[in-house]
Amino acid sequence: MQRRHFIIKNAALLSAAALSTSATTKRKPKKIKPNRLKEGDSVAFISPGSFLDDEGLQKAVQNVEGMGCKVMLSKNIRAHRGFLAGSDQQRLDDLHWAFSDKQVKAIWCARGGYGCSRLLHNLDYGMIKKNPKILIGYSDVTALLNAVSQQTGLVTFHGPVAASDFTDYTKKHLQAVLFDGKEKHTISLPPTSENHVEPFSLYPKKVKGKLVGGNLSLLAAMAGTPYAVDFQGKIAFIEDIGEKPYRIDRMLTQLRQACNLEKSCAVALGDFTDCDAEAPESLTLKETLIDRLDFKNVPVGFRFPFGHTSDQCTLPIGTEVELELERMEICLIESAVV
C-alpha cells in the first residue's frame, strides 16, 4: 500500500515537473527592437551564405555608404569554400563578431545564396539577445531572420542585401523603416513589375497581425526543424524566384501540412519572378497559388514588392502590421526600431 502511494505521489510530481518544463520551453521571448540607424553609423558586412565577388562587394559598399553609413568588413568576407563564403565556422565567427562588437550598429548581409541554415544550431542566441542590432537581408537570409527572431525576440528585417539594386523605391523604404522608424508607414505597389501576372487578391479585406515569412524555399526547408515558422494567427509573407509551379505547389503544401499556413490570418505574396509554367499541361503560376492558398475567408494578395525584385520594401519580422488588400497595401503600424 505504501509502495503504491509512493508511486502515485512521484508520478504526480513528475507530471507537474513535465508541465512546468513544457510551459517554460514554449514561453515566447519578449519583443526586442534594435536601435535605429543614424548617419555616420558603422554597419558590418557579413556573408553568411554564398561568396560575393569583388564587383558585388564594391557595389555593396557604394550602396550602404550612399545611405550615409560607414562600412566595416568582417574578417572572413573574402573567404571562399566551394558554393559557400568560407567554412561554417568562419561565417559563424563573422556573425558573432558583428553582434558583439560595440562599434557595429547594424549587420547587413552582403548577399544571400545558400548556407545560412547550416549555422542555426550553433548560433549564440544568448549573446545576440544581449546585443540587439539591426539584421537585414533576404533570400537565404530568411533562415537567419526567422531563427533569431524566434529564439531572442529581436525584430529582424527582410530587405535588400547590400549588393542589391538600390532603386529610389528601395532606398525610400529603407530610410523610412531603418532610419526614421516611422509608425504607420504605408507600403504601396511600385508603378512597374518584372512579373507579367497582374496583382490579384482573394477575400480582400483589412487584417492586422504579426508579420513572419520570407523566401518560400527556405521556409519549406525549415519545416520539421526547431526553427520552423509557425504561421498560425499571423500574417505570412512569402516570395521566391525561378521555381516552376509544381515546385511551388510542393513547398506550399509542405507549409500547409507542417507549419499551420492554413491557420494564418492572411498571406501576402511577392512577385514570384520567373516562376511561369513551361510545360503546356502545367497549371499556371496564378492557378497554382490560388489552388494552394484558397483557405476560405483567409485574405491573400499577390505581387507585393519584397524579395527577388528590383523595387524592394523592407519588412520587419515580428512586428504588427495591417494588410489592406482592397488597396494592395501593407501598413507598418508600429515602429520597428527605437
Side-chain angles (χ1 to χ4, degrees):
M1 191 63 145
Q2 287 181 341
R3 181 173 176 272
R4 182 167 177 267
H5 177 73
F6 174 81
I7 291 171
I8 293 171
K9 181 179 178 180
N10 279 276
L13 288 171
L14 288 170
S15 177
L19 286 171
S20 174
T21 302
S22 176
T24 301
T25 302
K26 292 181 179 179
R27 189 176 297 137
K28 296 178 182 178
K30 184 179 178 181
K31 184 190 299 181
I32 302 172
K33 296 181 180 182
N35 290 327
R36 70 190 62 211
L37 271 175
K38 301 188 297 291
E39 188 173 347
D41 277 350
S42 294
V43 173
F45 277 7
I46 62 171
S47 286
S50 293
F51 174 74
L52 182 65
D53 61 24
D54 290 338
E55 184 179 353
L57 184 58
Q58 183 180 6
K59 178 182 178 182
V61 171
Q62 291 173 345
N63 281 339
V64 175
E65 286 184 345
M67 297 203 71
C69 295
K70 300 173 184 175
V71 173
M72 296 175 66
L73 300 180
S74 58
K75 177 183 176 182
N76 300 299
I77 195 75
R78 306 306 301 132
H80 195 182
R81 180 176 181 268
F83 47 74
L84 299 168
S87 68
D88 287 356
Q89 191 60 55
Q90 286 176 311
R91 302 191 325 280
L92 191 68
D93 288 345
D94 282 0
L95 181 60
H96 285 160
W97 158 76
F99 270 106
S100 62
D101 192 306
K102 301 301 181 185
Q103 295 181 74
V104 174
K105 303 304 178 185
I107 303 161
W108 215 311
C109 296
R111 69 157 294 182
Y114 168 72
C116 293
S117 57
R118 293 170 56 123
L119 308 181
L120 301 186
H121 64 297
N122 284 322
L123 284 182
D124 187 342
Y125 293 104
M127 182 274 290
I128 292 171
K129 187 172 183 177
K130 292 176 182 176
N131 297 275
K133 298 174 183 180
I134 288 170
L135 173 64
I136 183 170
Y138 78 104
S139 194
D140 192 65
V141 185
T142 291
L144 280 181
L145 300 177
N146 285 280
V148 168
S149 179
Q150 290 170 10
Q151 299 296 316
T152 69
L154 178 64
V155 172
T156 56
F157 298 86
H158 185 278
V161 294
S164 293
D165 292 327
F166 276 32
T167 66
D168 289 341
Y169 182 95
T170 300
K171 288 188 286 187
K172 170 188 170 183
H173 291 290
L174 281 169
Q175 181 71 40
V177 177
L178 301 185
F179 291 80
D180 301 339
K182 285 186 175 181
E183 294 181 10
K184 298 195 181 300
H185 173 63
T186 299
I187 297 166
S188 302
L189 301 185
T192 59
S193 169
E194 295 155 25
N195 197 318
H196 73 272
V197 181
E198 290 298 312
F200 68 83
S201 62
L202 304 175
Y203 315 108
K205 58 182 178 180
K206 188 183 295 184
V207 183
K208 290 183 181 179
K210 182 179 176 181
L211 192 64
V212 294
N215 179 259
L216 175 59
S217 298
L218 269 295
L219 294 170
M222 294 166 74
T225 75
Y227 313 102
V229 176
D230 184 359
F231 293 104
Q232 184 168 355
K234 302 180 181 74
I235 293 179
F237 71 96
I238 300 172
E239 64 84 34
D240 218 318
I241 185 172
E243 298 287 356
K244 298 310 171 190
Y246 77 92
R247 295 199 293 264
I248 292 171
D249 182 301
R250 183 188 66 226
M251 291 185 283
L252 289 175
T253 299
Q254 187 171 9
L255 295 187
R256 289 176 58 153
Q257 295 174 345
C259 299
N260 290 317
L261 186 59
E262 290 181 89
K263 297 178 182 177
S264 62
C265 62
V267 180
L269 299 168
D271 252 7
F272 282 82
T273 305
D274 192 27
C275 291
D276 301 305
E278 293 178 348
E281 66 273 15
S282 171
L283 292 176
T284 65
L285 171 62
K286 182 177 180 179
E287 288 170 337
T288 301
L289 294 172
I290 292 174
D291 179 83
R292 293 289 75 202
L293 296 173
D294 188 349
F295 300 146
K296 306 304 177 189
N297 294 320
V298 174
V300 177
F302 170 79
R303 222 198 76 179
F304 283 98
F306 53 80
H308 292 85
T309 185
S310 294
D311 289 327
Q312 294 185 59
C313 64
T314 297
L315 296 176
I317 292 175
T319 61
E320 295 292 316
V321 304
E322 183 176 81
L323 189 64
E324 170 55 88
L325 290 184
E326 290 186 352
R327 294 197 300 268
M328 293 296 286
E329 293 178 344
I330 302 173
C331 181
L332 311 184
I333 57 180
E334 62 172 314
S335 175
V337 291
V338 294

